[in-house]
Amino acid sequence: MLKTVKVLIVDDERLVRISIKKLVDWDKLGAEVIAEAKNVQEAMEKVNLLGPDIVITDMKMPGIDGAAFMELLARDFPQIKIIVISGYDDFVYMRSAIKNKAVDYIMKPIDKAQLNNAISNAIDEINHVKKDYDSLTREKLVIGEKIERIMLEKRLNELLNDGRISKSEIVKDKSLSMLYRKNLKYVFLLFKFFNIHYICKNNFNCDYNEMTLRICECIDSCIENKNKIVFKKEHSFSEFCIIIGYGKSAENDRITESAALLAEKIDKNVSSQLNLKSIAGVSNIHNSFDALGTMYQESLFALMHINIKDSAIISFYDKSVKQISKHVNIIENGNKWGIAIESGNCIMVKNLLNEALGILMEKSVICPQDIINLYREIFYYVERTLRKLNLETIDAKIDDLLDEDYLVLIFIEAVKQGKLTFPEVNRIIMERLEQCIEKVLLSKRMKTHSNLYEVKDFIDKYYYEDITLEKLSSMFHFSKGYLSRAFKDEFGQNISSYITNVRLNNAMEYLQQGNLKISEIMRLTGFNSLNYFCKVFKKRFGKTPSKVKSQECSGL
């Protein structure tokens, strides 16, 4: 029977230590946390005292840092398996993790599946569990190739954003320095995978890092040109970038043709290997690697303006793309959307959505950006209406992005199949719209409930005045019919009966005091006819006002 594996957690933040303990299924893995430490000095004391099998350590801590800690463990306790927790930018620490043979390098925020998998791998190594060659190779890539790819991705994304990496740093990186040569022409391909979240959830157990590695491998295997770099766009799950360098003597037409063939090859390979659906945009050809940011923007523009009505999955940044890029509002009258949402009218909202999709389909050119624009236009008017009603707007920005990606995917597939209706598009957008309508209706119900009690309180307080249904409906902004029905539903009696009962109850109190005439009590309680007052009083209490008054005076 295998022994329970002992784990030490080292991190200066108490909440991170708590989080690590909660994220791991310790019993299932056959492991237990024997101690925690908030710095390296305390950690070394517990290593000497308790002899842990696994150490999970942060890198940035006060005093001695994680890199030095790993050096100590590698030198004095080589049998201990190390799992590193750290931030995205710690390139020095990544190299230290590789050097000291860490089992895994996990970036914050900590992914539950990745952490459990890392601990499982460490336990397998401790217990000398044999694995097949392919599986073992995959695990080693997690610490080697994956970390190197992270470092390269970070540098390239910085170059895409604002070119902060200096030329001296580029030269130090083997992959970058190979591309950063003056005798090359460059082209940038941008792939967008529209069903990536579904595939990651079902095929990779929500491990985006593992899926990213597999996508990059699939893309990389399609490219024969050695002057290449493949990486994921920062802050995007679905965008993957390819930079390829061609010799200066290569003709531009040949480069364009080569890029088109490559895009088709990548699309087929990733689709067959991972079941991912994609479209691609290609930049203009540039003579300098310094134009990297421009190349990315061009490829993104091309990708988002590919004509869905065509069968191609690739678009080039050229004059024809620029001509179709002019944005046309699909929703011509946003006020109709506001009225439909504010009134909570689902049927009207569905009709408006069908009308908008119909207008979109009439366009000779439809591109992904059109679909995203339509989605954003609709929810612009929706959120404006919610703000007008002082309701919370939709707080689901990440979900919005997922919806947009998925909408584009199903729209592309529907158009290519020659469909003129889009039930799945309707379902996704209506699902979000119904959430908003429910907010409006709930607010109305709460407001109605509150206003009905205000009506009741007004009657209780001013029963002696000339109160009518018409007056109340005007004061509290209800229609007469609605107020009458809603009041009876809420309080079990209609408004006129309630007014009469309140007046009679107060009349009884006045009569019991015995110091007022019946005619005075009649006027004080809002009645205009003495005969009517006496009649309804007797019907309610079983005796006349004079009988009650005489009984009170006689002390009966």
Side-chain angles (χ1 to χ4, degrees):
M1 182 176 178
L2 298 174
K3 68 171 185 176
T4 300
V5 173
K6 299 181 290 184
V7 180
L8 170 65
I9 300 174
V10 186
D11 197 295
D12 59 316
E13 295 183 39
R14 178 173 169 271
L15 291 178
V16 174
R17 299 197 302 271
I18 292 172
S19 176
I20 291 170
K21 288 193 290 185
K22 288 184 176 180
L23 287 171
V24 177
D25 190 342
W26 301 105
D27 291 337
K28 182 179 178 181
L29 293 172
E32 64 174 346
V33 177
I34 56 166
E36 300 174 33
K38 59 181 178 292
N39 55 52
V40 172
Q41 183 178 352
E42 187 178 326
M44 285 304 296
E45 291 175 0
K46 292 183 178 179
V47 167
N48 281 292
L49 181 64
L50 303 172
D53 302 299
I54 298 173
V55 170
I56 302 173
T57 181
D58 187 18
M59 291 301 252
K60 289 186 177 179
M61 293 180 286
I64 303 172
D65 65 9
F69 180 39
M70 285 194 294
E71 295 278 356
L72 291 171
L73 290 178
R75 185 191 69 193
D76 299 333
F77 303 93
Q79 77 281 5
I80 293 178
K81 303 302 175 185
I82 303 169
I83 296 171
V84 177
I85 306 289
S86 189
Y88 193 86
D89 296 330
D90 300 327
F91 299 124
V92 173
Y93 295 148
M94 290 180 189
R95 292 192 187 97
S96 179
I98 295 170
K99 178 184 175 183
N100 293 294
K101 299 179 181 178
V103 174
D104 207 340
Y105 192 102
I106 299 172
M107 294 176 293
K108 296 178 182 179
I110 303 167
D111 179 81
K112 180 179 179 180
Q114 188 181 359
L115 178 59
N116 278 268
N117 188 55
I119 294 171
S120 176
N121 290 339
I123 292 171
D124 286 346
E125 289 189 19
I126 291 166
N127 295 326
H128 305 290
V129 174
K130 292 184 178 180
K131 299 190 174 183
D132 62 81
Y133 178 78
D134 290 339
S135 177
L136 186 59
T137 301
R138 171 72 51 207
E139 288 165 15
K140 296 305 177 185
L141 281 172
V142 168
I143 251 322
E145 184 177 335
K146 186 182 77 172
I147 292 176
E148 292 295 338
R149 188 179 293 280
I150 288 169
M151 296 165 65
L152 179 60
E153 278 184 12
K154 183 62 180 175
R155 288 199 172 110
L156 286 165
N157 276 292
E158 286 175 351
L159 279 169
L160 287 186
N161 295 330
D162 54 19
R164 283 180 292 165
I165 299 296
S166 65
K167 291 181 181 180
S168 60
E169 282 194 72
I170 289 174
V171 172
K172 291 178 184 177
D173 191 292
K174 189 180 296 183
S175 300
L176 280 175
S177 61
M178 188 166 60
L179 270 181
Y180 197 85
R181 291 173 12 211
K182 292 182 179 179
N183 61 335
L184 290 179
K185 291 180 178 180
Y186 302 95
V187 67
F188 193 109
L189 286 78
L190 179 65
F191 272 80
K192 190 171 183 70
F193 298 100
F194 288 102
N195 58 335
I196 201 161
H197 307 286
Y198 174 83
I199 295 297
C200 188
K201 179 182 177 182
N202 288 277
N203 296 0
F204 293 92
N205 196 27
C206 294
D207 187 344
Y208 282 94
N209 292 324
E210 176 66 13
M211 183 185 63
T212 295
L213 186 61
R214 289 284 290 116
I215 293 171
C216 288
E217 286 175 351
C218 281
I219 294 173
D220 198 72
S221 65
C222 294
I223 309 171
E224 296 176 3
N225 190 330
K226 293 183 179 180
N227 297 317
K228 63 180 178 181
I229 291 181
V230 180
F231 65 101
K232 185 179 74 68
K233 179 69 174 69
E234 192 175 26
H235 307 309
S236 170
F237 291 117
S238 59
E239 291 182 13
F240 285 76
C241 308
I242 306 164
I243 309 166
I244 302 178
Y246 295 86
K248 285 286 187 183
S249 61
E251 296 178 1
N252 286 0
D253 289 345
R254 294 293 299 274
I255 293 174
T256 301
E257 182 183 348
S258 172
L261 292 171
L262 175 61
E264 291 177 6
K265 184 178 180 182
I266 290 171
D267 177 66
K268 288 178 182 177
N269 192 39
V270 176
S271 178
S272 63
Q273 295 288 324
L274 304 176
N275 200 28
L276 285 167
K277 305 292 179 67
S278 68
I279 57 175
V282 183
S283 72
N284 283 338
I285 298 164
H286 289 261
N287 293 318
S288 172
F289 194 80
D290 293 327
L292 189 61
T294 302
M295 287 190 276
Y296 167 71
Q297 292 299 328
E298 288 175 354
S299 61
L300 177 62
F301 189 93
L303 181 147
M304 294 310 293
H305 292 85
I306 188 171
N307 188 4
I308 294 171
K309 287 191 171 182
D310 290 341
S311 58
I313 57 95
I314 184 171
S315 177
F316 290 84
Y317 182 82
D318 53 23
K319 290 181 181 179
S320 63
V321 172
K322 293 178 183 177
Q323 287 172 358
I324 67 168
S325 67
K326 294 177 182 177
H327 171 58
V328 178
N329 287 336
I330 303 298
I331 298 175
E332 296 177 352
N333 191 345
N335 290 332
K336 286 184 179 179
W337 280 92
I339 292 167
I341 295 295
E342 190 168 352
S343 63
N345 190 331
C346 270
I347 294 174
M348 185 176 178
V349 168
K350 285 180 181 178
N351 290 337
L352 287 170
L353 178 57
N354 287 329
E355 180 184 319
L357 288 169
I359 294 171
L360 183 61
M361 277 304 298
E362 289 174 3
K363 293 182 64 179
S364 59
V365 174
I366 304 173
C367 61
Q369 193 62 53
D370 290 326
I371 303 162
I372 291 173
N373 287 342
L374 172 61
Y375 183 84
R376 291 176 180 175
E377 279 179 46
I378 290 171
F379 285 97
Y380 164 77
Y381 291 112
V382 169
E383 294 197 10
R384 191 172 73 172
T385 302
L386 293 178
R387 284 193 294 269
K388 176 185 172 184
L389 298 173
N390 294 318
L391 297 175
E392 286 185 23
T393 55
I394 306 163
D395 186 19
K397 292 182 179 178
I398 294 176
D399 287 340
D400 280 346
L401 295 175
L402 303 193
D403 283 349
E404 288 177 3
D405 279 358
Y406 187 54
L407 280 172
V408 171
L409 170 69
I410 59 177
F411 203 91
I412 289 173
E413 291 185 337
V415 172
K416 287 185 176 180
Q417 291 170 15
K419 294 181 180 178
L420 298 177
T421 58
F422 311 95
E424 184 66 3
V425 174
N426 268 286
R427 185 193 67 78
I428 292 172
I429 297 180
M430 276 307 301
E431 197 173 89
R432 296 295 310 281
L433 288 170
E434 284 169 358
Q435 292 174 12
C436 302
I437 290 171
E438 181 57 34
K439 281 186 177 184
V440 173
L441 293 176
L442 178 61
S443 172
K444 282 189 172 185
R445 287 194 292 270
M446 293 175 65
K447 185 177 180 181
T448 298
H449 182 82
S450 174
N451 284 355
L452 286 174
Y453 275 85
E454 288 179 14
V455 171
K456 178 178 176 294
D457 290 343
F458 180 85
I459 295 170
D460 292 341
K461 189 173 182 181
Y462 299 103
Y463 60 89
Y464 51 83
E465 291 189 358
D466 181 23
I467 301 175
T468 63
L469 177 61
E470 186 174 0
K471 182 177 180 180
L472 290 171
S473 63
S474 176
M475 285 179 63
F476 293 96
H477 308 291
F478 290 113
S479 69
K480 288 189 292 184
Y482 179 80
L483 177 58
S484 181
R485 290 192 303 273
F487 193 94
K488 187 172 183 179
D489 289 343
E490 186 70 27
F491 302 112
Q493 55 186 312
N494 60 43
I495 286 180
S496 59
S497 297
Y498 185 77
I499 293 170
T500 299
N501 286 329
V502 171
R503 287 170 171 172
L504 290 172
N505 289 337
N506 280 277
M508 175 61 84
E509 290 183 11
Y510 281 127
L511 285 167
Q512 289 173 343
Q513 292 172 9
N515 56 352
L516 292 174
K517 294 178 181 180
I518 293 175
S519 58
E520 291 175 327
I521 292 172
M522 176 201 74
R523 287 191 293 274
L524 284 171
T525 53
F527 290 100
N528 296 320
S529 166
L530 186 59
N531 286 337
Y532 177 74
F533 170 58
C534 293
K535 181 181 177 180
V536 295
F537 189 94
K538 184 177 181 181
K539 184 178 180 180
R540 168 75 187 279
F541 297 110
K543 44 192 171 183
T544 63
S546 58
K547 182 72 174 176
V548 173
K549 186 174 176 65
S550 64
Q551 287 176 342
E552 291 297 327
C553 291
S554 62
L556 297 177

